[in-house]
């Protein structure tokens, strides 16, 4: 179909004709309307069943282990568990601290640099930052900040005088500071991505122009006029960051303290205990983790109300603010620090994987070798294939479901609602440890425990929301007049989908698929519960090795885990350009 200007479909009569034609076709394609309920059933039904399957053992009901009568015994055992109070406080403190810092840095950077080249440049860096899995980054970050890590080597002995690694608790510190810093580096890019998407929904540039003409400084103008419009759209992503930070397991295992650990790690230890009776106490702990996440979200909501009242007084105070030079400098340093830390963590993984001899305080290895890779490859192949196949399958299924939902939304002229967003974010708001045990019970009952299908399904629960969030805004922002023009020329709705919408949105579609794949690669707890230890992935193997002393082998697995998402994003960037070249050649 030849390209037609969308302007031909702008007339009212033509619009009514197209709407009438679409109405006649709607009955023919009513099967598309089944995709949204199917999608909700696939990722909300298991969460509901998982919550039931977790709360029932928490009150003594687990027929598989002989628990048939309700009991408060699991809760009594939980309250008597040593280190519980410290674990709860640690989870709450690290979760709130990481979220506060992440939100503050993301919003501060947007306020200081909105509309500049630096702002646009950081947008292009978000993809590789988001592609780095949490576990791989945590391992690389530990290599970076450890007493014998790369930072200490770069500063020694000329700046520190150290010829031996210092006795400093920079990793696994009792206050969880390393965990907080690691979470901040990983969550700021996600919040920036959500902020950029929210900015596309408001007239930020026009609003800022009006505020600047009234004499307001750039940062003050953004805070008084744009932030009130943007933050309501950021509320759910911020809640998701808070729930994740307070219940993360993989990063807490690598960077967090061990005596006591965070609550989620403590609960995972109980689930992994050889004594099956500990499952009751672990289920009660998982329920406590869910309650803690809900309490933290409620506390954050209370803080929003208080901050809103203070912010309204500040907004009408008439204070214009300054040039924003200090804010720009500080926010630029913080953003650059986050990028450099992420790059340094990835580079550290690569260096250790090929280092033969690297003694402290040498800044670089004294000798290089690929022997570690040669020894590891036979053992690496199985987990790598499981990671790749599960990632491609879960991202592919999620992409098909999301495209069906968005296409149905376009044809039925539906508008997204706040309730739909809450349902979409539900898997991100509920702590994984809070329902995955119950989901495992369902899998055991269905005879799917430890199968590849169960692994893909468990990853799909978390891949689908991210794919939808990445693709929804570009899909909805596409000028509808292109589709109307094609319909006026006699094209069917499916022909419009394949020949108009998909080609125009190929880049965001592939980007969303790459994001979904990277989310699948990063999954640890779903793999542990659904795979039942029989389907190891690069993530589970890397975290299992992280407690060891062979940094070279850890670097191999961590680098391999980080490489897969980066390759996926590289393909997502390269394929649209290749398709465009083929189209021009055919013409």
């Amino acid at each position: 179909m030849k390209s037609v200007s969308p302007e031909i479909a702008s007339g009212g009569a033509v619009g009514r004709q197209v709407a009438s034609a679409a109405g006649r076709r709607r009955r023919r394609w009513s099967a598309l309307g089944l995709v949204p309920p199917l999608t909700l059933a696939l990722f909300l039904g298991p969460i509901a069943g998982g919550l039931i399957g977790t709360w029932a053992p928490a009150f003594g009901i687990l027929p598989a282990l002989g628990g048939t009568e309700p009991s408060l015994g699991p809760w009594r055992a939980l309250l008597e568990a040593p280190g519980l109070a410290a674990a709860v406080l640690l989870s709450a403190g690290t979760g709130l601290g990481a979220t506060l810092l992440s939100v503050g840095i993301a919003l501060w950077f947007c306020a200081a640099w909105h509309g500049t080249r630096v702002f646009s440049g950081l947008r292009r860096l978000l993809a590789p930052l988001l592609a780095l899995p949490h576990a791989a980054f945590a391992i690389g970050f530990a290599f970076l900040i450890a007493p014998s890590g790369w930072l200490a080597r770069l500063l020694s002995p000329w700046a520190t005088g150290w010829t031996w690694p210092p006795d400093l608790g920079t990793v696994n510190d009792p206050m969880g500071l390393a965990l907080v810093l690691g979470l901040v580096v990983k969550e700021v890019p996600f919040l920036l991505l959500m902020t950029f998407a929210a900015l596309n929904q408001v007239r930020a540039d026009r609003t800022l122009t009006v505020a600047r003409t009234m004499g307001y400084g750039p940062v003050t103008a953004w805070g008084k006029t744009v932030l009130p419009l943007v933050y309501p759209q950021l509320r759910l992503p911020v809640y998701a960051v808070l729930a994740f930070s307070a219940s993360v397991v993989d990063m807490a295992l690598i960077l967090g303290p061990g005596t006591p650990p965070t609550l989620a790690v403590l609960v995972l230890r109980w689930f992994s205990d050889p004594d099956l009776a500990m499952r009751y106490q672990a289920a009660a702990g998982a329920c406590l983790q869910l309650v803690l996440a809900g309490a933290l979200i409620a506390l954050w909501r209370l803080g929003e109300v208080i901050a809103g009242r203070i912010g309204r007084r500040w907004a009408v105070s008439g204070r214009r603010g300054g040039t924003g030079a200090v804010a720009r400098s500080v926010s630029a340093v913080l953003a650059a620090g986050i990028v450099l830390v992420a790059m340094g963590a990835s580079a550290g993984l690569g260096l250790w994987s090929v280092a033969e001899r690297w003694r402290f305080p040498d800044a670089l290895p004294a000798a290089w070798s690929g022997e570690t890779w040669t020894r590891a490859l036979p053992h690496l192949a199985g987990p790598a294939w499981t990671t790749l196949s599960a990632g491609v399958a879960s991202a592919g299924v999620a992409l098909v479901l999301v495209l069906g939902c968005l296409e149905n939304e376009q044809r039925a002229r539906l508008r997204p609602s706040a309730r739909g967003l809450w349902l979409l974010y539900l898997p991100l708001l509920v702590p994984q440890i809070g329902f995955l045990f119950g989901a495992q019970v369902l899998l055991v009952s269905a005879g799917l425990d430890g199968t590849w299908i169960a692994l893909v399904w468990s990853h799909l629960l978390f891949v689908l929301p991210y794919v939808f969030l990445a693709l929804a805004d570009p899909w909805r922002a596409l000028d509808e007049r292109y589709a109307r023009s094609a319909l006026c020329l006699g094209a069917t709705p499916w022909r419009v989908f394949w020949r108009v919408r998909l080609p125009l949105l190929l880049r965001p579609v592939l980007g969303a698929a790459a994001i979904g794949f990277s989310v699948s690669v990063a999954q640890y707890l779903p793999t542990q519960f659904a795979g039942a230890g029989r389907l190891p992935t690069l993530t589970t193997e890397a975290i299992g090795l992280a407690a060891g002393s062979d940094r070279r082998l850890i670097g191999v697995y961590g680098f391999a885990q980080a490489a897969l998402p980066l390759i996926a994003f590289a393909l997502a960037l390269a394929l649209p350009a290749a398709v465009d070249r083929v189209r021009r050649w055919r013409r």
Side-chain angles (χ1 to χ4, degrees), residues 255-350:
L255 298 175
T259 51
T262 59
L263 178 59
V265 174
L266 189 62
V267 172
L268 181 62
R269 288 181 184 177
W270 294 335
F271 275 127
S272 305
D273 195 286
D275 184 4
L276 295 180
M278 290 295 293
R279 299 298 189 277
Y280 294 102
Q281 180 177 322
C287 295
L288 179 61
Q289 179 70 72
L290 180 62
V291 172
L292 175 63
L296 291 177
I297 292 175
L299 181 62
W300 188 276
R301 178 57 186 153
L302 177 62
E304 289 177 351
V305 173
I306 296 173
R309 292 181 179 178
I310 297 174
R312 280 191 290 270
R313 295 179 183 176
W314 172 68
V316 300
S317 65
R319 297 175 183 173
R320 262 48 178 179
T323 60
V326 175
R328 283 192 172 187
S329 300
V330 175
S331 61
V333 169
L334 292 174
I338 288 173
V339 174
L340 290 175
V341 167
M343 294 174 60
S346 302
L349 290 172

Side-chain angles (χ1 to χ4, degrees), residues 62-75:
L62 187 57
L65 297 181
T68 56
E69 297 292 334
S71 170
L72 294 178
W75 289 94

Side-chain angles (χ1 to χ4, degrees), residues 22 33 38 82 111 128 130 144 195 221 248 288 322 337 339 357 366 442 459 464-465 527 532 567 581:
L38 174 63
L130 291 170
L144 200 63
T195 304
V248 63
L288 179 61
V339 174
R357 186 172 64 255
L442 295 178
H459 286 198
L464 195 145
T527 304
I567 293 172
R581 285 195 294 268

